[in-house]
Amino acid sequence: MLTEQGYCGCLKGENCGHTDRGKMMRRINLQSSQIVLLLVACAIAVVFGLVLPVLAAALDGSFAKLAALPVLLLLGGLFLFNKRLLLLCVLLLRASGDIVLESTRVGSGGGFSLGLGGAINALIILIAFLFVVEKPKLLPRKAWMPWLILLGIATIGMVVSPDRGAALKIVLGLCSYFAVFVCAFYVVRTPEQFRSMILLVVASSLIPATYGIISTVLNARGGLSGFRLQSTFGHPNIFAFYLTLVIALGLYIIKSAQFKLDQFQRFTLAGYLGVLFVLLLLTQTRSAWVACFLIFLLYGIKYERRYLVYMLVLATLAMLVPSVQERILQLDSGNTVTTYAKLNSFAWRTYLWSSGLNWMSPSRYLFGYGVEAFPFYSPLFFPLAGGVNWGAHSVFVQWFFDTGVVGMVAYLAIFYQVLRVLIRYQKHDSLGGVILICTLIEYLVVSASDNMLSYLAFNWYFWLVMGMGWSLYLNSEEGRQESIVKKNQRRESSSLSRSTSA
């Protein structure tokens, strides 16, 4: 009796292993593009395996420097997969990265050393560029024009700078601040996205706070006299200003009805902010103390008067801490110019500023001496330099010295445009607008006595938050109505000019 057979010779309908293997072969057939990608990945793996021993010898066996290359490859892969996800991951972890990224630097040091941090900055700039190329209309002209003018002036200042390596570092830092500011317009367009990004910024403080607590405990064994907490940041001042920003945003989360926290969540977050406040005191950064105090003072005056009582109690308790007493009392001594060791930090700064500004030639008032010229020339005009290239410890003094009145006007124009939008946003969200405005004013105040332009990690979060506020207002109902009115006005003025010319 004849039976019907398949191509393999087995009876049809029988569970044939040949058929299963055929199906499996068909399933694993790869497209040509996938084959090429697989071959490229294999080639990269082979090359990496061959190069790794050479790199290990060249980098003196440094684990951080060896790990930088695979981390960079991972970041590049994530960039190709989802650039928005990469941006969010970087923003979440950047506050924890200064110490690690600094250990990956390769080079002679100074302005010419390179590391994983520079590669991350380049990726962020590239992400911002791609966002703008894909959807240029999402970024308003008033948001990018002042930045481009400032970057143009800074680039010219870099060309004429006596220290082009250090100047290049400042210019690239400004580019990254602008990039983060731009990215905010593309990741925040709704109130939900705004709230999510606020939570992300606050969450970015978890690792620095934990590291700071551990660092404090380890240093407490020998006493905390003279100890200044910097946690994962490169300097205590950077950590202090970052904490001030996070504390302000935490206050917004607790007090804003938009977040809808339950009682336990409010209590937990309030306790966490208390921990951050203690860490802020341990940084010994007086300007950050004042900035944080002013934010809560304004909140208490405008919204809840009982917070004024809380602040009075906290200030009294803080003054009981010996290190805090010492930092406050230092301002009352060492105000006579003799030597650096006998000057308090503020008197030393004012002496540095007056020395630099008196040394400037009036012919340089308009355009300055070039970016990073102040530290380059400081051994010439500062009697207490001691051969050290001191920065100005003031954005305004250094930027005037470096880029003149033109650079100062361009720099302040950015804050003016942001402030105008935040004032309008305050009508849409009273508490959020007040906190953002206070944060901006706080930035300008502390810029008068610190090198804020060099604090990259803090500037990223600051400009991200400023861009978020602008973008949220731009996409609100009030912002859309304002845009429509302006478009109609431009059309009317253009049609009027055409009719007049005709």
Side-chain angles (χ1 to χ4, degrees), residues 280-356:
L280 176 62
L281 290 178
L282 291 172
T283 64
Q284 306 293 331
T285 306
R286 289 169 298 211
S287 56
W289 296 347
V290 174
C292 188
F293 178 83
L294 290 177
I295 289 176
F296 279 86
L297 176 65
L298 291 174
Y299 175 81
I301 293 174
K302 186 171 178 62
Y303 297 103
E304 295 185 67
R305 297 294 174 87
R306 59 192 176 96
Y307 269 73
L308 300 178
V309 179
Y310 298 159
M311 289 174 56
L312 180 61
V313 173
L314 288 174
T316 303
L317 293 175
M319 286 301 296
L320 297 177
V321 179
S323 58
V324 175
Q325 290 180 8
E326 182 182 355
R327 290 291 287 177
I328 298 298
L329 293 175
Q330 282 176 355
L331 294 176
D332 193 42
S333 61
N335 292 299
T336 304
V337 176
T338 53
T339 62
Y340 172 61
K342 295 182 180 180
L343 283 176
N344 66 54
S345 60
F346 182 73
W348 181 86
R349 281 175 167 85
T350 55
Y351 187 38
L352 173 66
W353 300 337
S354 62
S355 300

Side-chain angles (χ1 to χ4, degrees), residues 81-122:
F81 173 72
N82 190 328
K83 61 180 180 292
R84 181 189 178 95
L85 178 61
L86 172 62
L87 173 66
L88 297 179
C89 290
V90 170
L91 292 174
L92 179 63
L93 299 174
R94 185 59 185 85
S96 312
D98 274 2
I99 296 177
V100 176
L101 296 177
E102 189 67 26
S103 65
T104 65
R105 284 185 177 273
V106 179
S108 57
F112 296 99
S113 57
L114 299 174
L116 184 59
I120 294 175
N121 294 352

Side-chain angles (χ1 to χ4, degrees), residues 363-471:
S363 62
R364 297 282 188 167
Y365 288 168
L366 192 59
F367 298 107
Y369 289 89
V371 176
E372 284 296 277
F374 190 99
F376 182 85
Y377 290 119
S378 62
L380 298 179
F381 61 72
F382 188 39
L384 305 182
V388 178
N389 297 94
W390 293 103
H393 290 78
S394 169
V395 173
F396 304 131
V397 173
Q398 178 149 352
W399 206 241
F400 173 69
F401 190 97
D402 292 353
T403 60
V405 174
V406 173
M408 277 296 300
V409 172
Y411 180 72
L412 294 175
I414 297 175
F415 292 89
Y416 171 72
Q417 291 291 0
V418 175
L419 182 60
R420 286 184 60 195
V421 176
L422 293 182
I423 291 174
R424 295 197 290 270
Y425 170 71
Q426 192 263 340
K427 300 175 183 177
H428 172 71
D429 178 4
S430 177
L431 178 59
V434 166
I435 287 180
L436 292 182
I437 291 172
C438 289
T439 302
L440 184 144
I441 295 174
E442 164 216 321
Y443 185 97
L444 291 174
V445 170
V446 297
S447 293
S449 60
D450 222 315
N451 298 316
M452 299 298 290
L453 289 180
S454 302
Y455 298 165
L456 188 139
F458 167 71
N459 274 285
W460 275 25
Y461 291 104
F462 171 78
W463 287 112
L464 173 70
V465 172
M466 294 298 106
M468 286 162 47
W470 189 327
S471 180

